[in-house]
């Protein structure tokens, strides 16, 4: 995330404190929806700042959110976003790669922590210790399923931010994807290769550094 975007994000978080709980609830739904729109993070935060200020001014006059921005929050957001330039294909690609790397580094870190804890347990129990962590077919396929499920969940929740009918099908679909990923991870035990736990840590740090670099290029 670029410096100017971080600064605007910080300012918006401070500004939100001036809203009532009801105003913040409305704003949260709108921000979630904006996160799924095809505009830069910086532009999302600019829109968020303007909406926040409108809601604050309305509350000072005693007007609820519906009187300030209308009853259909999605229509209001769409009308605002329609006036903002869309991200280029390059920006979209950078954003997607960044999201994948962020999710991947979390999954790989969990895998490394689990393997390292197992090594330490064997060491303290006085058993022979294998310092090489296995990468199985299930680890790879399960990881791909988890990444796809996380990306789908983000898109779904953003597109349905204003849906209040209590539909929980999205949760069932996401849970099913997670279960499939777990089954693949535990069931497909064919080892593709092994890697020493210290170089494995180095790989995680490299992926994290790449993700950090990508984040600095993406608003």
């Amino acid at each position: 995330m670029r410096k100017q975007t971080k600064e605007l994000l910080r300012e918006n978080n401070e500004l939100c404190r001036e809203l009532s709980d009801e105003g913040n609830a409305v704003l949260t739904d709108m921000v979630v929806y904006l996160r799924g729109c095809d505009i830069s993070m910086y532009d999302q935060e600019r829109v968020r700042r303007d909406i926040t200020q409108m809601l604050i001014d309305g509350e000072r006059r005693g007007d609820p959110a519906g009187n300030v921005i209308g009853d259909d929050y999605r229509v209001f957001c769409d009308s605002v976003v329609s006036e903002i330039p869309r991200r280029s294909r390059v920006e979209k690609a950078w954003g997607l790669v960044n999201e994948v790397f962020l999710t991947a580094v979390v999954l790989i870190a969990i895998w490394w922590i689990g393997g390292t804890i197992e090594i330490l347990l064997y060491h303290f129990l006085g058993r022979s210790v294998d310092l090489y962590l296995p990468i199985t077919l299930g680890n790879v396929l399960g990881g791909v399923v988890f990444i796809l499920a996380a990306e789908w969940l983000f898109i779904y929740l953003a597109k349905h931010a204003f849906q209040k009918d209590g539909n929980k099908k999205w949760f069932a679909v996401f849970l099913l994807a997670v279960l499939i990923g777990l089954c693949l991870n535990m069931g497909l035990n064919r080892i593709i290769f092994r890697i020493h736990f210290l170089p494995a840590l180095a790989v995680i740090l490299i992926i994290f550094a790449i993700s950090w670099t990508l984040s600095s290029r993406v608003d």
Side-chain angles (χ1 to χ4, degrees):
M1 188 182 297
R2 294 173 182 172
K3 184 177 180 179
Q4 60 180 355
T5 307
K6 288 182 180 179
E7 180 62 22
L8 185 55
L9 180 62
R10 184 191 64 78
E11 292 174 0
N12 285 341
N13 289 338
E14 291 290 332
L15 191 61
C16 287
R17 296 181 180 179
E18 299 183 32
L19 277 174
S20 65
D21 291 341
E22 292 77 11
N24 265 308
V26 171
L27 180 64
T28 297
D29 288 341
M30 299 182 79
V31 171
V32 170
Y33 182 75
L34 289 171
R35 293 294 184 246
C37 293
D38 190 19
I39 57 177
S40 70
M41 184 71 171
Y42 180 72
D43 285 332
Q44 291 176 22
E45 287 301 313
R46 287 176 54 209
V47 174
R48 178 190 176 194
R49 178 189 58 194
D50 293 343
I51 294 175
T52 304
Q53 192 61 59
M54 290 174 63
L55 292 174
I56 291 173
D57 293 341
E59 288 186 348
R60 288 172 179 170
R61 297 191 305 267
D63 292 332
N67 290 352
V68 176
I69 56 180
D71 294 326
D72 195 328
Y73 303 146
R74 178 169 185 163
V75 170
F76 177 83
C77 288
D78 287 341
S79 66
V80 174
V81 171
S82 65
E83 303 298 324
I84 300 174
R86 298 294 189 268
R87 294 181 300 168
S88 66
R89 291 183 178 180
V90 173
E91 290 173 329
K92 291 179 184 179
W94 276 114
L96 179 59
V97 171
N98 181 52
E99 291 170 6
V100 170
F101 267 87
L102 284 173
T103 308
V105 75
V106 171
L107 293 175
I108 296 173
I110 293 173
W111 162 82
W112 183 85
I113 292 172
T116 302
I117 290 176
E118 185 176 353
I119 289 175
L120 293 174
L121 286 176
Y122 277 119
H123 173 74
F124 286 120
L125 291 174
R127 301 181 183 178
S128 64
V129 178
D130 184 1
L131 299 180
Y132 285 80
L133 303 176
I135 304 292
T136 67
L137 181 60
N139 293 150
V140 176
L141 295 180
V144 170
V145 171
F146 289 141
I147 291 174
L148 292 176
E151 184 66 18
W152 173 84
L153 180 63
F154 170 78
I155 294 173
Y156 183 91
L157 291 179
K159 295 300 182 183
H160 296 79
F162 303 119
Q163 184 173 313
K164 300 299 183 182
D165 59 2
N167 185 358
K168 299 300 182 182
K169 290 182 179 179
W170 63 267
F171 180 75
V173 174
F174 179 71
L175 182 59
L176 177 61
V178 171
L179 290 175
I180 291 174
L182 289 173
C183 289
L184 289 172
N185 188 53
M186 295 185 295
L188 299 178
N189 296 318
R190 178 184 175 186
I191 297 176
I192 301 176
F193 63 91
R194 294 177 179 272
I195 181 172
H196 193 280
F197 81 102
L198 289 179
L201 177 59
V203 170
I204 294 173
L205 295 177
I206 291 172
I207 295 176
F208 178 77
I210 294 173
S211 177
W212 183 273
T213 303
L214 288 174
S215 295
S216 67
R217 295 174 177 268
V218 177
D219 272 339

